[in-house]
Amino acid sequence: MNDRTTSGSDPLDVVLGGGLPRNAIIVVMGAPGDGKTIFAQQWVFANATPERPALYLSTVSEPLEKILRYGQMLSFFDPAAVGRSVWYEDLGGTLRDHGLPGVLKRVRDLILVKQPAMIVIDSFKAMHPYAGRSGAFRAFLHDLAGMLSAYPATSMWVGEYLEDEIQRSPEFAVADAIIALKSVHAAERTSRALQVHKLRGGGFLAGTHSYRLSEDGLTVYPRLADPADARDYDLRGERVPSGIHALDDMLENGYWSGSSTLLAGPTGIGKTLMGLHFVSYAVGQGDAAIIATMQEDPSQLERTASQFGWSVKSDHLKVMYRSPVDLNVDQWVYELLDMIETTGASRVLLDSLADLQAAAPDEMRFREYLYSLLHRSSRQGTSLMMTYELPELFGVSKLSDVAASHMADNVVLLQYRGLTGLMSRTLTVLKTRAANHRSGVREFQITDDGIMLVPAQSMNDFGAGQGTPQV
């Protein structure tokens, strides 16, 4: 698009509806340490050329030497571009000695000499105290905005603004775009969120979008909230075995390819083992599969799998292990979707959904992640199995508080049952969308061949209160 310029980040360009508006005034706001200067330099180095250079102006917030020193630690910083396509200038001395009129004159002179296509003023807010008399800053802002509007350049004003200043500070009224960077604290976790408050002349993705800072700059993860899509898409009209012998015995013709299955049960019941059955079947058929785990690392999974003649080190199987301690859910979902696309995986095991829920910033965001993941997997024909740990060992009354069981195509409940001091495991198929299954509670055992059903017998001694739970 010729009326847009890249932000330096393809995912952020998606949030912005195609990039930053050209020949506009953009305000980037946020607290110290939120990445405003990194964002500004990322934008500059992604676009500047000797024919269309960038002019980076520091004021009195941070010394220019400090901006340059830390900028050189970033992977996109090109020392050869400095003085050729990226020009740095310190306005601090001019501001102290000659105030805002001096700054206005200096900026005008630099524009005439350098003829930049991009101008950054960092920090713009730091110039407020130099206004002096009442109304002087508004007069300065009017003259500066008029000068920049008459010259074909895109301006980025960086400042340590708070959210409530959007309504009070005059620079927000003249801005064509407002982008907020902020840190979000929830319990012991701290995450970063980007939000577009204003973007004249174009649409953008609303809401907050997670981002991370690194030597590569801002890595943005657009909010994953797929809208309902009523368009038809091809579904592979075939039923395939789950790969779990005990479960297949209760299904008439297997599950639909591309369906999602929720395995819910208490600790130690066999959820991960069932998941290994599920992906190992795909590997045995020569198909690609993925284990996305936050419960067990690859070494622990290999030890468990080897007991049943499987291996997680197969070329057809990818293990995406992430610790739930400092998990960025947005980043995790995008990495998983990218892995599904690049490998063409037919099956994915997500172990466990409870860890993903705990890492999500709020319940609504978790629902969005889950819906989008299931929706995209279905459209790609990828079968998804999710494990979910329940706190109750006996007498489960409900599965989850986040409607995971409603979204899943198939729901399987695993429970413990106590008989005169001997505890056994039971399996119940609660739901199979667009398919039939055998109802009832069946006992299963973990054998050398994996999970197997115990021959059907009377369930009259199944404990009181252990009926069918609320889905």
Side-chain angles (χ1 to χ4, degrees):
M1 297 176 63
N2 57 15
D3 62 339
R4 296 296 180 98
T5 176
T6 179
S7 64
S9 165
D10 290 341
L12 180 52
D13 287 346
V14 172
V15 173
L16 294 167
L20 293 168
R22 197 183 298 273
N23 302 333
I25 295 174
I26 302 154
V27 174
V28 177
M29 57 183 288
D34 282 341
K36 301 180 300 298
T37 297
I38 293 177
F39 177 26
Q41 296 201 76
Q42 184 173 335
W43 172 62
V44 160
F45 281 96
N47 293 278
T49 65
E51 296 74 27
R52 295 179 59 81
L55 181 60
Y56 200 108
L57 306 175
S58 65
T59 59
V60 290
S61 180
E62 280 188 312
L64 180 58
E65 292 78 9
K66 187 176 181 180
I67 292 176
L68 285 169
R69 183 169 69 249
Y70 284 103
Q72 292 176 46
M73 299 179 183
L74 302 170
S75 62
F76 54 77
F77 188 94
D78 182 9
V82 178
R84 292 181 65 250
S85 56
V86 180
W87 298 87
Y88 287 89
E89 181 81 15
D90 186 359
L91 295 180
T94 301
L95 187 60
R96 289 190 300 268
D97 297 340
H98 304 287
L100 296 180
V103 168
L104 194 64
K105 180 180 183 304
R106 182 57 180 157
V107 171
R108 182 182 292 108
D109 293 342
L110 288 169
I111 288 176
L112 292 175
V113 174
K114 304 299 183 183
Q115 298 187 352
M118 295 173 288
I119 302 171
V120 175
I121 302 179
D122 183 5
S123 154
F124 197 87
K125 183 182 178 181
M127 296 191 292
H128 270 267
Y130 293 85
R133 63 180 177 82
S134 177
F137 192 81
R138 284 185 177 272
F140 162 75
L141 185 64
H142 177 270
D143 293 340
L144 178 63
M147 180 176 65
L148 294 176
S149 298
Y151 184 80
T154 306
S155 302
M156 182 175 287
W157 299 348
V158 177
E160 300 78 18
Y161 300 98
L162 300 177
E163 292 282 339
D164 61 351
E165 291 183 86
I166 295 178
Q167 307 299 325
R168 295 186 286 105
S169 297
E171 48 264 53
F172 291 100
V174 302
D176 299 295
I178 302 172
I179 301 173
L181 306 177
K182 55 188 174 182
S183 296
V184 180
H185 305 281
E188 299 300 320
R189 295 176 183 268
T190 299
S191 59
R192 299 182 185 275
L194 177 149
Q195 184 172 7
V196 180
H197 287 288
K198 176 182 179 181
L199 187 62
R200 281 189 181 134
F204 58 89
L205 297 184
T208 59
H209 309 273
S210 177
Y211 72 94
R212 282 199 160 180
L213 297 175
S214 69
E215 63 177 9
D216 297 322
L218 267 75
T219 302
V220 181
Y221 305 99
R223 176 179 168 226
L224 199 67
D226 292 356
D229 191 345
R231 293 177 300 173
D232 290 338
Y233 59 97
D234 292 333
L235 286 172
R236 293 167 60 185
E238 60 179 350
R239 304 286 288 278
V240 294
S242 69
I244 305 165
H245 300 310
L247 187 54
D248 288 337
D249 285 347
M250 300 185 69
L251 302 174
E252 291 189 356
N253 295 304
Y255 282 151
W256 291 109
S257 177
S259 63
S260 56
T261 302
L262 177 68
L263 284 179
T267 181
I269 196 72
K271 300 184 298 297
T272 299
L273 178 57
M274 282 194 171
L276 289 172
H277 265 287
F278 176 71
V279 295
S280 295
Y281 178 85
V283 172
Q285 300 297 309
D287 294 334
I290 297 171
I291 299 176
T293 176
M294 289 154 276
Q295 287 283 311
E296 299 181 66
D297 61 39
S299 296
Q300 293 171 312
L301 286 173
E302 177 65 20
R303 181 177 60 191
T304 300
S306 64
Q307 302 301 308
F308 303 93
W310 308 319
S311 175
V312 299
K313 296 180 180 179
S314 167
D315 292 338
H316 294 287
L317 182 61
K318 299 294 183 182
V319 178
M320 193 180 99
Y321 171 69
R322 301 290 184 271
S323 169
V325 175
D326 186 29
L327 185 70
N328 183 306
V329 183
D330 298 80
Q331 179 179 0
W332 180 92
V333 172
Y334 273 97
E335 288 179 352
L336 177 57
L337 290 172
D338 182 65
M339 187 175 290
I340 292 173
E341 183 176 352
T342 56
T343 63
S346 66
R347 296 190 178 196
V348 175
L349 168 63
L350 198 170
D351 191 18
S352 83
L353 204 59
D355 288 322
L356 197 65
Q357 179 183 355
D362 56 62
E363 181 180 316
M364 183 56 67
R365 199 62 175 265
F366 177 73
R367 288 174 182 262
E368 292 177 350
Y369 298 139
L370 189 59
Y371 173 79
S372 298
L373 179 59
L374 267 58
H375 177 73
R376 296 189 184 196
S377 296
S378 176
R379 297 188 76 89
Q380 291 185 217
T382 300
S383 300
L384 181 65
M385 179 169 282
M386 307 166 287
T387 68
Y388 190 84
E389 184 160 315
L390 300 175
E392 301 167 298
L393 295 180
F394 305 96
V396 175
S397 59
K398 64 178 180 178
L399 295 187
S400 74
D401 296 323
V402 292
S405 54
H406 297 169
M407 295 185 199
D409 297 309
N410 317 298
V411 178
V412 178
L413 174 65
L414 308 179
Q415 293 185 89
Y416 287 112
R417 157 172 88 116
L419 291 174
T420 62
L422 181 64
M423 191 164 61
S424 60
R425 296 176 170 90
T426 64
L427 178 154
T428 308
V429 178
L430 297 180
K431 169 186 173 183
T432 54
R433 186 167 287 159
N436 293 322
H437 66 271
R438 296 178 186 174
S439 59
V441 180
R442 295 292 305 275
E443 184 179 341
F444 71 90
Q445 293 178 341
I446 298 176
T447 71
D448 292 341
D449 295 323
I451 294 175
M452 306 292 291
L453 285 181
V454 173
Q457 56 182 316
S458 172
M459 296 299 291
N460 292 334
D461 53 356
F462 193 64
Q466 299 188 45
T468 301
Q470 173 185 338
V471 183

